[in-house]
Amino acid sequence: MKKGSNKYFIITIMIFMMVFSVYVVSAQPGGGPPPPPPPPTAVPFGGLELLLAAGAALGIKKFVDSRKKD
């Protein structure tokens, strides 16, 4: 082998090692249990629902009071 071709041979081997080492490094174990379900994020009654209920109650009260005056 010539001196120049030895340099290209070493570079080729190094590239080969880098390319195939990616497969070894990034390998993930297979299987395993599935992740647990996420916690529920919906609140049964939030602020918007309470405001709507309060507005409806106030509207009904005003309607009933206006009917009593007549």
Side-chain angles (χ1 to χ4, degrees):
M1 272 208 247
K2 294 182 186 177
K3 254 187 173 179
S5 65
N6 192 18
K7 178 180 166 183
Y8 292 118
F9 179 72
I10 291 174
I11 291 174
T12 305
I13 294 296
M14 290 178 70
I15 290 173
F16 180 77
M17 288 172 50
M18 283 189 272
V19 166
F20 286 105
S21 68
V22 170
Y23 293 114
V24 174
V25 172
S26 67
Q28 299 292 319
T41 57
V43 179
F45 290 106
L48 184 61
E49 289 86 2
L50 293 176
L51 284 173
L52 287 172
L58 182 64
I60 291 171
K61 180 185 179 299
K62 287 190 176 250
F63 178 75
V64 169
D65 287 346
S66 71
R67 299 285 287 188
K68 284 184 180 178
K69 286 184 181 177
D70 291 338

